[in-house]
Amino acid sequence: DTEVTQTPKHLVMGMTNKKSLKCEQHMGHRAMYWYKQKAKKPPELMFVYSYEKLSINESVPSRFSPECPNSSLLNLHLHALQPEDSALYLCASSWGLAASNQETQYFGPGTRLLVL
Amino acid sequence: KQEVTQIPAALSVPEGENLVLNCSFTDSAIYNLQWFRQDPGKGLTSLLLIQSSQREQTSGRLNASLDKSSGRSTLYIAASQPGDSATYLCAATNYGGSQGNLIFGKGTKLSVKP
């Protein structure tokens, strides 16, 4: 199984709503990532978890709150978002952080988020 | 600060043509260089990864090269097919950085016409 799954595929939310994005992998990877991708732009790293601990937070606003309940799951909790937060949110996983220069990240299909 | 640039931004070719996509990076101290494919509204699929000590990697009709001294990588696609239509992204990981620090180019949008 070389798949990273993300739910939901699409999400529409108001600025006062609370919602969560979910990501799951069963490849035994110990590093998991959240990226944000705006239209016609490359992905931008948001958070990195290594062995279920937050390793990197790229100065993301607190209205985005990541959570890694176990080694297979990664959540992104959303609260009081702004319309400019509308984007494709991608999850990825890899064996580890810089464990080998042969490593690659496996990406999920993404959740397309629209904030009204 | 590493910057990754991809030229051209868009490319349209007839089916069967061989083509080259270009990627340049400003900091040659890279860990590896990766090429990804992204279909519209979808996630990224890793195509090829070139370690810093390697010059090229091949997978089927795809061949990626790396020249650290000049800060360039190319993705060669042989005998292009309509199914190759997608956006191709290159990404560099800087030496000493974590795997999370993938620095992406803006991508080349490829359209292969039947």
Side-chain angles (χ1 to χ4, degrees):
Chain A
D1 183 3
T2 59
E3 189 179 23
V4 176
T5 59
Q6 290 188 243
T7 55
K9 292 184 179 180
H10 303 275
L11 179 62
V12 180
M13 60 185 292
M15 290 188 285
T16 59
N17 292 157
K18 286 186 180 181
K19 297 287 184 182
S20 296
L21 309 184
K22 296 185 185 301
C23 174
E24 190 167 2
Q25 57 86 15
H26 295 287
M27 295 179 277
H29 290 173
R30 302 315 298 263
M32 297 186 76
Y33 313 79
W34 279 116
Y35 289 84
K36 173 182 178 179
Q37 186 177 25
K38 302 282 281 183
K40 298 184 180 181
K41 300 286 186 181
E44 296 179 348
L45 183 66
M46 301 175 70
F47 302 104
V48 181
Y49 272 82
S50 177
Y51 288 86
E52 300 151 50
K53 295 191 184 305
L54 185 63
S55 174
I56 294 175
N57 176 341
E58 292 288 353
S59 303
V60 179
S62 60
R63 57 185 184 268
F64 295 92
S65 175
E67 178 197 20
C68 190
N70 61 56
S71 60
S72 299
L73 295 174
L74 184 66
N75 299 321
L76 185 62
H77 302 298
L78 314 173
H79 175 55
L81 294 194
Q82 303 297 311
E84 59 264 28
D85 296 322
S86 299
L88 180 68
Y89 287 83
L90 295 165
C91 174
S93 70
S94 66
W95 284 107
L97 295 181
S100 162
N101 62 4
Q102 301 177 55
E103 277 204 45
T104 189
Q105 294 182 20
Y106 293 83
F107 283 80
T111 293
R112 185 161 297 284
L113 173 68
L114 177 62
V115 182
L116 300 176
Chain B
K1 178 183 176 183
Q2 178 73 276
E3 292 183 5
V4 179
T5 303
Q6 290 187 247
I7 295 173
L11 180 64
S12 181
V13 300
E15 182 177 4
E17 194 164 293
N18 302 328
L19 58 99
V20 175
L21 306 181
N22 296 294
C23 173
S24 61
F25 46 94
T26 55
D27 185 350
S28 62
I30 59 171
Y31 208 41
N32 60 45
L33 191 290
Q34 300 181 60
W35 284 92
F36 292 89
R37 169 186 172 140
Q38 186 172 31
D39 292 288
K42 305 292 186 182
L44 279 68
T45 301
S46 179
L47 298 173
L48 290 165
L49 181 151
I50 311 175
Q51 300 174 40
S52 59
S53 58
Q54 296 177 324
R55 298 282 293 186
E56 64 177 336
Q57 282 285 339
T58 298
S59 176
R61 295 182 293 109
L62 305 180
N63 176 278
S65 68
L66 175 64
D67 185 343
K68 285 176 54 180
S69 62
S70 66
R72 293 180 182 177
S73 176
T74 61
L75 179 66
Y76 175 82
I77 302 177
S80 59
Q81 302 171 359
D84 295 330
S85 298
T87 295
Y88 291 80
L89 295 154
C90 70
T93 303
N94 274 27
Y95 189 77
S98 72
Q99 265 287 318
N101 288 346
L102 280 175
I103 310 300
F104 285 91
K106 292 185 177 180
T108 294
K109 185 175 182 180
L110 174 65
S111 177
V112 181
K113 306 293 187 184

